[in-house]
Structures are given as C-alpha cells and as structure tokens.
Amino acid sequence: MRAVFLACLLFSGSVSAEIIPDKYPESLLYSAPVKVADGVWSAIGQTQYYNYENAGHNNNLSFVIGNEAVLVVNGGSSYLLAKALHDEIKKHTALPVKYVVDENGQSHAALGNGYWKALGAEVIAHTDAADEIESHGLDGLTNLQAILKERSDGTEVVVLDRTFDDQLVLDLGGITAELHYLGAAHSPGDISVLIPERNVVIAGDIAFHERMLPIFPDTDTAAWLETWQQSFTEFAKGKVIVPGHGGPTDFATVDRYTRGYLVFLRGKVGELLEEGGTLEDAYAIDQSSYRHLETFEELAAKNAGRVFEAMEFE
C-alpha cells in the first residue's frame, strides 16, 4: 500500500502540466457544482494534478440532498476546499451535512475531513482506505501543504468515525445512499455510492473516461478487471455515472476507457512477453488511440511499464 500512496504523491505533485484557467474564480472550487439528478450534485474537479491554481480540486466532490440530511462524497483535499463546497451546498439546502464518505484514502478524498467533523458530520470510509489514511495521511498533508501553501490552512489528518468492509446503507430521508465495496480497483478502499431513487452511481476511482486512468506500482490490473466484470458492470449498467474524475456520463463510456483500456494494455504487454520483449519495449507501446485523454503524456508510458513489471510474475 505504501507504494500506491507514494505514487499518488508523485502523480499529484511532481509532474509539471499545463495550468488551465480556473472555471470558478470566485470560489476555491475549480468548477461550480452541476446537477446530476434531483438532489444529486457534483463539483467536477480539474482533470490534471494538484496545483496551487486548482486549490487541490482535481477530483469530483459530490453531495446528495435528502429530506432530512445531506451526504457528501469526498471530504476534499483541504479544510478550505471543504468549506468552499459547503458554501455551495448551503445555496441549495439548509439541511445539515450528516455524512461524509471518502471514496478511498487518497489526499483529495480525505484531507478535508476535519472541516466536516467540526460540523458534527460522521466521516466514513472503507476499512482499507482508513488504514491508508492512518498510515500515510501525514505524508499526503506535507505534500499538499507544499503545493497549496496558504490554501492548505486549517487542514489536518483526522480519525474516521466509521468504517465498513462490504456494504453500508445510509438514510437521508426519502433518499438512500448505498456504499459498496465491489472489489479491488485502482487504489486501496475504492468504493462506489449508489443512489437507487435517482438511478445514479457515484462511482469514484473505479471508473475513468476523460482522464487516463493511473496504474500505481501496487495496482493489480487483473483484479481491477475481475471487479469490473464480476461486480461493477451489473452494478452500474443503465445508470448515470459520476466517475472519480471528469463529468457525469454513462456506463458504455466508462467501460470503454476503463475496462477497454486495461484490456488493451494488458493485451499489448502480453504479446510483448510472449515475444521476449523488454521493459523498454513496453514503454514504447503505441497508445495513440488514447492520446486525447487528459494526463496521457504523463501516464501512458508509466502505465505500460507497470503492467509489464506486474505481468512478468502473473
């Protein structure tokens, strides 16, 4: 797990990328929340890496409004970013935020948890995500403080209030939030949130489409595909999908750029291994059909190399 966490820091902080203008300059949020369905909203983060300009908002921060309470999906990368999201929630409802659910243990999912705990919200994540936060949250905080500077003020690592292993159902009053761990995906403790009354799945980082998916040193792509085929497909098909990065879409789109990409890359690497190819050959695999995806230049060759190193031992 530590290798996965350190890869998160590498992908988020040390790779230079073009700075794209903020879409919502009056807020620390990169973009204003968009309505996904009745009572379901998501502030779509920049599909780049953490930087000062996006204030660490490079993932999707979603919220669900019931008749009695609000659920937030992802605590955000900082105290101030969480507050900015709350300011937007208050434009739509005076109901309290009762639950905050982290889609995994990464910094942009969890480091803003302290803001919500101070409001009295219950902060929840999968057991593996909780372990990741406990073990490496301080490293993530140090990394984010260096990038965000004063925009990280007030941010601290806090202990989760509740964890679960397989499934947890939360009642918001008239709307249900079902938290599901469907199996191994791109990082420890990846979960998806189903809102059955709205036919919406807040999928988290199991699903990608606008941004190339990252493969970390400890990511098991074979297990990710197994989770997709045995659990996620039936779970998400026919529903509106809010992925971890990028705007709301449908199952066919995330299937193309998640399962499809993993099958493509593993197939190319498998051919190389059969032919006695090397790691250098893997880096040179032609992935140009995915060049239009954000972060392609930063991730494509690394992804191929990591799949090659893993498949040598499968």
Side-chain angles (χ1 to χ4, degrees), residues 47 63 98 113 127 139 154 185 199 207 217 226 236 239 241 245 269:
T47 49
F63 57 94
K98 187 174 182 180
N113 287 343
T127 304
D139 292 336
N199 200 43
E226 183 177 347
K239 298 178 177 64
I241 309 293
H245 304 265
V269 169

Side-chain angles (χ1 to χ4, degrees), residues 152-172:
S152 67
D153 288 353
T155 307
E156 59 183 347
V157 179
V158 298
V159 177
L160 296 173
D161 297 304
R162 191 179 352 173
T163 60
F164 70 100
D165 292 320
D166 298 311
Q167 182 176 340
L168 180 64
V169 179
L170 303 173
D171 182 9
L172 306 179

Side-chain angles (χ1 to χ4, degrees), residues 89-132:
I89 293 171
K90 288 185 286 188
K91 294 178 182 179
H92 300 283
T93 181
L95 290 170
V97 175
K98 187 174 182 180
Y99 305 108
V100 174
V101 177
D102 296 338
E103 67 187 10
N104 52 41
Q106 292 183 36
S107 295
H108 55 197
L111 285 181
N113 287 343
Y115 173 83
W116 304 106
K117 283 198 73 164
L119 292 181
E122 183 179 13
V123 183
I124 303 168
H126 186 266
T127 304
D128 292 343
D131 291 343
E132 193 78 353

